Amino acid sequence: MTLSHSSSGSVPARTSGSGARRQSRAGLAFVAAYVILLIAFGILPTGYAVYFAFTDAGGTFTGFGNFITTAQDFRFMDAVGHVALYLLFWLVSLVVFVVSLALLLHRLASGTISKSLRFFFYIPGALAGAASVLVWLFMLDPAVSPVSSLLGMLGFHTFGEVIAPGNLPLLFTVIAFWTGAGGWIVVIYGALNNIPGDVMEAARIDGAGAWQTAWHVQIPMLRKWIVYMVILAFAGGAQLFVEPQLLSLASVGVAGRDYSLNQLTYDFAFQMNNVNGAAAVSVELLVVSVSAAAVFVARSGFFDAD
């Protein structure tokens, strides 16, 4: 009788152990696939760029020579200023409007309205960057735009007036927001749904209104999601390329072929045949993005346990 009980009790244990091993192997397979792709398309290209950044065309070590040469280019500081101004507009608008719209969606109790609005916000994100710019080229040309009357009221009567250099940071911010904000609204909305119901109920019992609840309860609990959004948006915004490049082609150079640092990198590599200088600018962008991410993570307590 004892033997029978022992035998039957060991079956679930073996089954449980087998299931755990299968899950472990599946997890390792997924991680291995990611690591392989990371090495092939992330680490190796980065190492290759670093090598080029510190050598010349003959492979001789030059120290910071390439960095000094590119920084002395008359277009470099202008490109830095353009990207910095665009990042300021882009990040501020992203945080303010994405969080505000997500909070408004969360306030809508009706599932149908909320789902419809989330789908509507997300649609522009289905377009690739180049396709989005082409849509906006059509929208910003008063001659063919469906909102030409609005452009006229704002004082813009020609395509050249709309894309004047002083307007470009705002235009690129609008294009980036239209393309990328919808996905983040859905993400922040999902994070809001994960806030415990008893926390919201406690705020309501304490007499907190919608604004007080959002400012003192919801937004602080969204801090890590907002930081995550800012880090990725900063990294993507620092690599501004498609929008000014296509706008430059469409405007026959009015927008400038070297407006952004990535455009300048492209010019170094394929117009001036200076691959080492292009690699140096790319490494600078990498260092700035990683440093900014480190600051955001350190100041926000991103990895602290709640």
Side-chain angles (χ1 to χ4, degrees):
M1 194 70 174
T2 303
L3 289 175
S4 174
H5 177 75
S6 174
S7 176
S8 63
S10 64
V11 174
R14 288 197 298 269
T15 303
S16 176
S18 177
R21 284 194 296 271
R22 283 198 298 270
Q23 291 181 352
S24 177
R25 285 196 295 268
L28 288 174
F30 279 112
V31 172
Y34 170 78
V35 170
I36 291 172
L37 292 174
L38 176 64
I39 293 173
F41 299 104
I43 296 176
L44 289 180
T46 300
Y48 201 47
V50 171
Y51 167 77
F52 272 110
F54 289 95
T55 58
D56 59 17
T60 303
F61 180 74
T62 59
F64 292 97
N66 292 318
F67 296 90
I68 296 172
T69 300
T70 54
Q72 291 174 341
D73 189 284
F74 69 96
R75 301 165 295 177
F76 182 81
M77 291 310 298
D78 286 341
V80 171
H82 295 156
V83 173
L85 188 58
Y86 162 70
L87 281 174
L88 176 63
F89 288 171
W90 166 227
L91 295 179
V92 171
S93 64
L94 189 70
V95 171
V96 172
F97 290 110
V98 164
V99 175
S100 299
L101 289 171
L103 288 169
L104 287 173
L105 277 178
H106 194 258
R107 293 285 298 179
L108 294 174
S110 174
T112 303
I113 296 177
S114 180
K115 289 178 182 178
S116 300
L117 287 175
R118 275 180 281 156
F119 178 72
F120 175 76
F121 288 141
Y122 191 73
I123 286 176
L127 296 174
S132 296
V133 178
L134 292 176
V135 170
W136 277 96
L137 288 177
F138 173 75
M139 295 291 293
L140 296 173
D141 189 347
V144 295
S145 175
V147 293
S148 57
S149 58
L150 176 60
L151 293 174
M153 291 172 58
L154 295 174
F156 302 122
H157 304 287
T158 65
F159 185 59
E161 291 176 347
V162 175
I163 63 169
N167 299 334
L168 291 181
L170 183 58
L171 292 180
F172 293 147
T173 299
V174 171
I175 294 172
F177 188 87
W178 183 77
T179 304
W184 285 116
I185 291 172
V186 174
V187 170
I188 299 299
Y189 175 85
L192 284 168
N193 286 333
N194 287 329
I195 295 178
D198 55 350
V199 174
M200 300 296 294
E201 181 65 18
R204 188 186 65 80
I205 293 174
D206 288 341
W211 167 255
Q212 292 172 318
T213 301
W215 186 254
H216 295 289
V217 178
Q218 292 172 304
I219 292 178
M221 298 189 76
L222 292 174
R223 184 185 71 252
K224 293 183 179 181
W225 289 100
I226 295 173
V227 169
Y228 178 64
M229 176 179 67
V230 169
I231 289 173
L232 293 188
F234 183 95
Q239 301 176 59
L240 180 68
F241 177 78
V242 173
E243 292 85 351
Q245 186 72 6
L246 288 182
L247 204 58
S248 175
L249 295 174
S251 62
V252 196
V254 173
R257 195 181 65 186
D258 46 24
Y259 182 85
S260 71
L261 288 170
N262 253 2
Q263 281 184 291
L264 190 58
T265 300
Y266 180 85
D267 204 49
F268 275 128
F270 300 105
Q271 301 297 327
M272 302 170 61
N273 199 28
N274 184 2
V275 177
N276 303 91
V281 177
S282 299
V283 170
E284 288 172 342
L285 283 172
L286 174 65
V287 170
V288 169
S289 297
V290 172
S291 300
V295 170
F296 286 133
V297 168
R299 296 296 298 272
S300 66
F302 189 79
F303 292 111
D304 293 345
D306 292 330

